[in-house]
Amino acid sequence: MANYSSNQFKNGMKVMIDGDPCSMVDVEFVKPGKGQAFTRVRLRNLMTGRIWERTFKSNETAESADVMDTDMEYLYNDGEMWHFMDPKTFDQVAADQNAVGDGAKWLKEQDKVVVTLWNDNPISVTPPNFVELEVVETDPGLKGDTAQGGSKPATLSTGAVVRVPLFIEQGEVLRIDTRTGEYVSRAN
Amino acid sequence: MPNEPWRPSAPINHLRARAGVLAQIRHFFAERSVLEVETPVLSKCAVSDPFIDSLEVSFGFQPGIEDERLYLQTSPEYAMKRLLAAGSGDIYQMAKVFRNGESGRRHNPEFTMLEWYRLGFDDQRLMDEVAALVTRIVPSLSVRRLSYAELFEQELGLDPHAASLETLQRVCRAHVDAPFEDDDRDTWLNLLMSHVLEPRLKGAVFIHSYPASMAALAQTRVDAQGRVVAARFELFVDGVELANGYHELTDADEQARRLQADQRQRALLGLPQRPLDGRLVQALAAGMPNCAGVALGVDRLVMLALGVDNLEQVVSFMHARA
């Protein structure tokens, strides 16, 4: 593996810190009036999601992490693992609950997702920003109430529960923003 | 689109304000009969400081053939001291200086430095003059003074002159995730200063009487507690370093020793060995007058005058657009 010198650090770089792959969120160069420079880095631990700040002195090195974001298609869940396929190579990987995390509730078969691989093992799964999911359960819609505010819970085909406007009916397909978990519109 | 890459980094009205600050600075020194000088940007010698890296330039009588390696100045200090030794009297200069590898929100590889020297001044008296200049340009500032030891004692309860390496390391690591090893006390002091103390410095504050190990080109003296300290000060405004000044070292032998010590440290750190400025030592040997000098970051002063916190706001074209 290559080593990066702290002078080469930049945002987005993936490095190994204390045995875990981490991504550099923010790199700031700190130079006291006299004396050696430091590089202050905000790091995100890609295994745990923890974000913290570490300081490196000049010429300190960090080992690069073999981390790759790969576009994949979600295949199915076997009750324990989530299975994904690279549509170009047809390679398949299986991710566990830790890697899939909260994103699990947005995963619909055949949707395109980004799987982050570390040494070819999935460590995180990012669902698409917008997904279209069917409402499987909600209170009956209120006719003629389209203009008025107010919302109710709706359970979607993946099990996710979102707040939706009162006029939404069971069986409708909705567009959801997975980053906020909010209803956007009816899908057309 | 305001973000097209040909456009200036800073808005034009900020550049107008910048021109106003430059005019005020020149006026300030004209009032005091301090002579404006210019010195070479390209030098045959490089700065000795192991933690400042000079940019190298190839000079040749024919294109593509290097006859001489030159260095872009990282500060006009050496040349200005040679002028002082030659009898120039009080002098100032506003010049572009260049530092390799320095790029960030408050750093650009080239920036404008104001440097001036006052005969017969010591560091305390020069602080008065720095305060006069800075408050003329930013009238809302009021400037306090604190010694390096007072700052560390007040904020961290430790004596920066006496604390052991282990103590400094322990206190530092309580505040900063810095697992590296380093057996230089100054590294830990600098880390505490830049990561812990500077962010706490509100308003304009001179920090003075640095540890003797951080003297750089300042004289040392014995303070009221009998400690040897550097006659050096830095001015911080809201935690950002604005100026660095010395009661200047005039002892040629001591100057030569410090240049050699820097060169040895460079070798230890695997840094390039570059020509030391022997003519600076000769100038001191010929007799440099007792004086104090200071370097002030003009871009940062303009940032203060405009109340902005990014160099981009005051520099016509930053590194990325240069």
Side-chain angles (χ1 to χ4, degrees):
Chain A
M1 273 290 98
N3 276 322
Y4 298 119
S5 157
S6 60
N7 309 20
Q8 302 170 290
F9 288 177
K10 56 175 188 277
N11 293 358
M13 204 173 250
K14 312 283 198 302
V15 291
M16 296 299 299
I17 302 285
D18 304 335
D20 278 354
C22 295
S23 170
M24 297 191 182
V25 182
D26 190 38
V27 178
E28 175 83 359
F29 175 77
V30 182
K31 179 83 180 79
K34 298 284 166 193
Q36 68 174 304
F38 303 104
T39 306
R40 185 155 43 174
V41 188
R42 277 180 81 73
L43 289 158
R44 188 171 75 239
N45 183 317
L46 296 173
M47 304 298 284
T48 64
R50 182 171 91 101
I51 292 183
W52 86 109
E53 209 169 74
R54 173 165 287 192
T55 295
F56 298 79
K57 56 178 179 173
S58 53
N59 294 319
E60 216 184 331
T61 59
E63 187 192 333
S64 72
D66 182 15
V67 172
M68 256 194 347
D69 290 334
T70 312
D71 292 321
M72 291 201 167
E73 192 178 297
Y74 171 53
L75 296 177
Y76 63 94
N77 170 267
D78 65 11
E80 187 187 353
M81 305 290 276
W82 285 256
H83 295 263
F84 302 87
M85 182 182 69
D86 184 331
K88 288 195 213 96
T89 62
F90 305 108
D91 287 343
Q92 291 192 19
V93 295
D96 63 12
Q97 172 70 54
N98 278 337
V100 178
D102 280 350
K105 65 182 177 193
W106 307 120
L107 293 179
K108 191 179 70 177
E109 290 165 14
Q110 270 109 56
D111 271 358
K112 301 275 184 287
V113 300
V114 175
V115 178
T116 304
L117 299 171
W118 172 42
N119 297 333
D120 300 325
N121 296 311
I123 53 170
S124 77
V125 174
T126 310
N129 290 345
F130 297 100
V131 291
E132 294 185 352
L133 298 171
E134 188 187 335
V135 177
V136 295
E137 196 187 331
T138 191
D139 292 340
L142 294 172
K143 295 282 184 230
D145 196 25
T146 52
Q148 204 179 309
S151 65
K152 61 181 180 177
T155 306
L156 307 177
S157 55
T158 55
V161 178
V162 294
R163 302 294 303 181
V164 301
L166 297 175
F167 56 80
I168 296 295
E169 305 269 12
Q170 197 166 309
E172 284 193 273
V173 178
L174 308 183
R175 191 171 166 78
I176 308 294
D177 187 331
T178 62
R179 294 160 297 184
T180 58
E182 283 170 6
Y183 163 89
V184 179
S185 65
R186 284 170 163 149
N188 294 312
Chain B
M1 292 300 290
N3 249 339
E4 291 161 312
W6 66 266
R7 289 185 179 278
S9 312
I12 300 294
N13 64 326
H14 286 187
L15 299 180
R16 281 201 190 93
R18 180 187 177 104
V21 170
L22 300 190
Q24 278 181 293
I25 291 171
R26 291 203 159 90
H27 186 65
F28 180 89
F29 289 109
E31 284 170 358
R32 287 163 174 74
S33 303
V34 179
L35 180 71
E36 179 166 13
V37 296
E38 289 182 288
T39 55
V41 168
L42 284 176
S43 168
K44 295 185 198 324
C45 299
V47 69
S48 64
D49 188 327
F51 302 115
I52 299 179
D53 193 31
S54 301
L55 282 155
E56 300 188 0
V57 174
S58 176
F59 176 84
F61 290 97
Q62 286 174 48
I65 298 172
E66 179 173 312
D67 290 296
E68 201 173 23
R69 181 67 54 92
L70 297 172
Y71 303 90
L72 290 174
Q73 65 176 353
T74 58
S75 134
E77 181 166 14
Y78 295 171
M80 289 180 80
K81 286 183 172 172
R82 287 163 61 194
L83 288 175
L84 290 165
S88 67
D90 295 328
I91 49 176
Y92 82 98
Q93 169 160 217
M94 270 198 280
K96 271 292 176 72
V97 298
F98 303 82
R99 297 186 179 189
N100 194 27
E102 301 194 5
S103 185
R105 204 151 52 92
R106 292 187 188 118
H107 292 87
N108 200 41
E110 61 175 290
F111 59 100
T112 303
M113 185 179 269
L114 166 64
E115 180 142 338
W116 78 95
Y117 291 88
R118 297 289 257 142
L119 271 53
F121 279 37
D122 64 5
D123 47 319
Q124 298 293 325
R125 196 166 158 211
L126 188 57
M127 275 189 257
D128 294 338
E129 191 164 74
V130 173
L133 173 68
V134 169
T135 53
R136 167 146 344 157
I137 288 160
V138 191
S140 58
L141 285 180
S142 72
V143 190
R144 295 181 292 136
R145 289 185 196 195
L146 214 52
S147 76
Y148 194 88
E150 285 165 347
L151 176 67
F152 275 73
E153 276 152 17
Q154 279 176 19
E155 297 292 333
L156 299 168
L158 73 84
D159 177 352
H161 299 282
S164 67
L165 176 69
E166 290 68 33
T167 303
L168 293 175
Q169 221 169 60
R170 180 172 47 75
V171 174
C172 198
R173 286 186 177 152
H175 292 90
V176 183
D177 180 18
F180 57 77
E181 295 301 325
D182 199 301
D183 56 11
D184 185 353
R185 288 176 80 256
D186 287 354
T187 296
W188 301 101
L189 289 171
N190 280 333
L191 203 53
L192 281 168
M193 189 70 189
S194 63
H195 285 55
V196 183
L197 300 177
E198 284 176 21
R200 296 185 192 175
L201 291 175
K202 300 295 170 222
V205 192
F206 281 111
I207 304 298
H208 61 87
S209 306
Y210 276 68
S213 56
M214 300 181 189
L217 299 183
Q219 296 187 7
T220 54
R221 64 156 178 265
V222 178
D223 73 2
Q225 284 77 40
R227 298 178 291 218
V228 180
V229 297
R232 170 183 164 204
F233 64 84
E234 289 207 44
L235 173 60
F236 294 92
V237 180
D238 290 332
V240 179
E241 185 203 357
L242 187 63
N244 180 28
Y246 308 130
H247 188 187
E248 299 290 346
L249 183 67
T250 52
D251 178 337
D253 294 337
E254 176 60 19
Q255 178 69 65
R257 275 192 294 276
R258 290 192 196 175
L259 290 176
Q260 295 297 343
D262 278 353
Q263 195 74 307
R264 276 194 302 278
Q265 201 184 353
R266 283 180 158 268
L268 282 174
L269 294 170
L271 296 168
Q273 299 277 300
R274 293 184 171 132
L276 296 174
D277 200 341
R279 284 167 302 190
L280 172 67
V281 178
Q282 289 162 22
L284 265 55
M288 190 173 89
N290 177 36
C291 65
V294 61
L296 183 149
V298 173
D299 310 273
R300 290 181 179 180
L301 183 59
V302 178
M303 280 166 65
L304 274 178
L306 283 167
V308 297
D309 72 346
N310 195 320
L311 270 184
E312 261 176 15
Q313 292 291 310
V314 301
V315 170
S316 61
F317 297 101
M318 287 285 279
H319 183 45
R321 296 180 181 214

